[in-house]
Amino acid sequence: MPRTDIDRLSDDAAIWIFGITPALDADASRTALQQIDRFLDEWAAPRVPVLSGRELRDGAFLIVAAEKNSETSGCSIDAMFGIMRSLERAFGVQMLDANRVFYRDAGGAIASVPRGELRNVANEETIVFDTAAQRLGDVRGGAWERPAKDSWHAALLRRSA
């Protein structure tokens, strides 16, 4: 079985972060994780098991990780994205919309808006999430969650002349 607890993977494990909007409730989270686990239990590229794990944070971020020495293929990654598309349909959520950015609102809750609207709801101190982070260590160390001024999101806050 190639699936393991995500805490057992190294900081160098490759990750895919899927921001989910609206966030999943407890029942949907349980069902989604069961489907992801079935995929991870069989994830192989080509026919070599991929040591992998997953985590769902706040119902809003699904993090899938594959150990750095596991060989992932384009076909196997495409299959993972297919699972995400089916979860989008099943739960009426967005998970693959690269145009959305995630941030913490004034109350600390996770929210999302289209990229072009971030400047209307955030400032340089607003905590944003970098769903393009590539290493599990970035999530563990907190580098994926930081003030907008310290992230690529700062460019989204600038108003065009």
Side-chain angles (χ1 to χ4, degrees):
M1 220 158 116
R3 179 173 52 97
T4 189
D5 187 296
I6 199 167
D7 293 333
R8 299 187 71 176
L9 299 175
S10 75
D11 282 347
D12 288 328
I15 59 171
W16 295 265
I17 301 173
F18 300 95
I20 305 168
T21 186
L24 299 176
D25 64 22
D27 288 337
S29 293
R30 215 172 3 268
T31 302
L33 289 174
Q34 289 170 349
Q35 290 183 32
I36 296 298
D37 287 348
R38 278 194 295 274
F39 169 77
L40 296 180
D41 285 342
E42 298 177 11
W43 193 3
R47 293 188 295 270
V48 176
V50 174
L51 183 59
S52 58
R54 53 79 177 151
E55 176 181 356
L56 184 62
R57 289 193 177 192
D58 302 312
F61 297 105
L62 174 62
I63 302 165
V64 176
E67 195 55 73
K68 70 175 185 170
N69 60 358
S70 292
E71 187 175 326
T72 56
S73 69
C75 291
S76 68
I77 293 169
D78 287 348
M80 176 174 51
F81 276 77
I83 297 290
M84 299 311 153
R85 279 189 290 282
S86 72
L87 292 174
E88 281 184 319
R89 288 188 301 273
F91 299 113
V93 297
Q94 294 177 341
M95 296 177 71
L96 299 172
D97 184 356
N99 188 45
R100 297 203 74 73
V101 292
F102 291 80
Y103 66 97
R104 287 199 184 274
D105 67 16
I110 297 169
S112 71
V113 293
R115 287 177 188 246
E117 293 179 25
L118 185 65
R119 70 176 60 93
N120 300 326
V121 297
N123 61 48
E124 290 185 334
E125 299 303 321
T126 301
I127 300 298
V128 293
F129 296 87
D130 184 1
T131 57
Q134 297 182 8
R135 294 177 49 257
L136 187 53
D138 295 333
V139 172
R140 289 178 176 153
W144 79 300
E145 181 179 358
R146 59 185 171 209
K149 68 181 177 191
D150 298 329
S151 170
W152 63 265
H153 297 81
L156 300 176
L157 298 176
R158 296 188 192 106
R159 300 212 184 263
S160 353

